Amino acid sequence: MTQNSQYRLAGEIVEKIHAVLGKFEGYRTLHADGHFYRGTFKANPQAPEFSRAIHLQGAEVPVTVRFSKGGGDPFAHFSATVGMATRFYLPDGRVTNLVMLSQKLFIARSIDQFIALVEAAAPTSPGGRPNLDGLKAILPQHPNAAAVLKMRAESPAPVSFAHTAFHSVHAFNLVNTEQTVTPARLHWAPVAGVKGQPVSDLSAQDVGILFGELEERLRGGQVEFDLELELAEPGDILDDPTHLWPDDRRRVRIGRLTLVAPTTEAEIGDPVMNHDPSQLVDGIEPTDDPILQIRRGVYEASAAQRSGGWRRGSALAPNAATHPTGTKS
């Protein structure tokens, strides 16, 4: 992949998603409704065996986590898909992100396939509901996407973020100090154990139920997740986020995340909080997965739209006196 491929059709993709899911000013294109939480991460002694990344050497580092509901409508009920975007605050002043879903796979393996699926789901009239019949009509041409959508439709909904496992979807190459490269997928395993419920039960509850439940839980103590590596074996596909590896792949726990309290973008000091999953550090490298590559451009285009980009608060902006200065979480 070339550097420019990270921005291929990024703005167009954002607009196509808005056409299907709706555009809500000031909100993210996807995972529009989210809340922030703060805590720490500490790698265990086994982590440096796999990566020389600075936050995997054993020192405790601050983190923030944005838990979110899937979809583009911030006022919708929760579904089976929720997100967990973790930001690690490194000792040298940099940050790196780890973005995961409660689902194990993405719905497309290429930029062109993703665009085809989104275009098929576009409403037949502006502002209408997603065209699910149009999407179903093209799925025989995209059996990998059909299999992922079926898996998602059959997955249970969360009962709590604290009881939900999260998955990186993409594979990454971990590099240690001896230059040994270990391809792996990453997962957050909830220390409290995994629990689920029927989607209909969750959607019948308040639209913010999982945020409220987590905040009540944090008032009584900490919420913890273990970071697990799922290690690839020779021949495993590394560049297709619609493809599962066999269930017998070795898993290694390399650290623990501890959340202690809610926080806000204002308290963090970053009014945009763009969780680009390709914002990496030495010791963790991207694979040639085209969906991972394009996410940088899509995240940047979405962040600029919802925040006003460089124009926010600038005297150079059109209608500067009335331009919004805030963003939604």
Side-chain angles (χ1 to χ4, degrees):
M1 302 293 291
T2 65
Q3 178 70 18
N4 283 341
S5 69
Q6 294 180 313
Y7 299 93
R8 180 183 164 211
L9 304 177
E12 181 179 339
I13 289 172
V14 169
E15 294 302 329
K16 289 181 182 294
I17 295 172
H18 284 155
V20 176
L21 301 180
K23 184 176 182 179
F24 297 85
E25 294 294 339
Y27 288 92
R28 287 164 169 79
T29 303
L30 291 170
H31 291 267
D33 188 17
H35 289 198
F36 288 91
Y37 305 86
R38 59 181 173 84
T40 58
F41 174 80
K42 183 175 177 60
N44 68 28
Q46 198 169 6
E49 173 187 339
F50 298 96
S51 175
R52 60 179 180 246
I54 190 170
H55 59 300
L56 298 181
Q57 303 313 298
E60 188 174 86
V61 297
V63 299
T64 55
V65 168
R66 183 181 187 266
F67 287 113
S68 59
K69 64 178 68 166
D73 183 352
F75 309 107
H77 287 266
F78 278 99
S79 68
T81 300
V82 291
M84 181 178 179
T86 305
R87 174 163 289 180
F88 302 84
Y89 296 83
L90 307 180
D92 61 3
R94 291 178 296 165
V95 299
T96 187
N97 301 317
L98 184 54
V99 180
M100 299 199 192
L101 293 177
S102 58
Q103 304 290 347
K104 294 181 179 179
L105 298 173
F106 192 63
I107 63 169
R109 64 162 62 104
S110 70
I111 299 167
D112 293 337
Q113 184 178 49
F114 180 69
I115 289 176
L117 296 171
V118 173
E119 287 180 340
T124 55
S125 59
R129 298 180 64 84
N131 182 9
L132 298 184
D133 289 337
L135 178 60
K136 291 176 183 177
I138 72 161
L139 286 181
Q141 305 167 41
H142 303 275
N144 62 320
V148 173
L149 291 171
K150 181 177 185 293
M151 182 184 72
R152 289 189 171 198
E154 295 172 350
S155 64
V159 299
S160 168
F161 290 115
H163 287 294
T164 302
F166 292 89
H167 317 280
S168 66
V169 178
H170 307 291
F172 295 86
N173 289 318
L174 307 184
V175 186
N176 65 15
T177 55
E178 284 76 40
Q179 308 299 325
T180 302
V181 178
T182 303
R185 280 178 165 146
L186 291 85
H187 308 268
W188 288 119
V191 174
V194 175
K195 297 179 183 179
Q197 65 179 321
V199 176
S200 58
D201 289 357
L202 178 58
S203 62
Q205 301 179 65
D206 182 81
V207 295
I209 182 66
L210 295 185
F211 299 128
E213 190 279 339
L214 181 60
E215 283 149 29
E216 178 63 30
R217 185 182 293 265
L218 285 170
R219 282 191 280 272
Q222 301 172 339
V223 170
E224 297 176 311
F225 292 84
D226 285 325
L227 183 59
E228 293 186 346
L229 300 181
E230 179 187 7
L231 305 181
E233 293 189 3
D236 283 342
I237 296 173
L238 305 180
D239 61 356
D240 182 354
T242 70
H243 176 80
L244 276 180
W245 298 341
D247 289 338
D248 62 357
R249 291 298 176 260
R250 179 187 170 203
R251 291 205 178 201
V252 181
R253 292 188 173 179
I254 62 167
R256 177 162 291 187
L257 172 72
T258 302
L259 297 178
V260 296
T263 187
T264 64
E265 290 169 322
E267 183 178 40
I268 295 166
D270 184 346
V272 177
M273 288 297 288
N274 182 11
H275 291 101
D276 171 11
S278 67
Q279 186 173 353
L280 305 174
V281 294
D282 179 52
I284 304 175
E285 298 178 353
T287 60
D288 286 332
D289 180 341
I291 298 298
L292 174 59
Q293 297 286 343
I294 192 60
R295 287 177 73 171
R296 170 167 291 184
V298 170
Y299 277 49
E300 286 184 11
S302 175
Q305 283 195 16
R306 65 184 166 85
S307 68
W310 66 268
R311 299 181 304 172
R312 180 174 49 84
S314 171
L316 300 177
N319 303 315
T322 59
H323 197 277
T325 58
T327 62
K328 313 291 194 303
S329 62

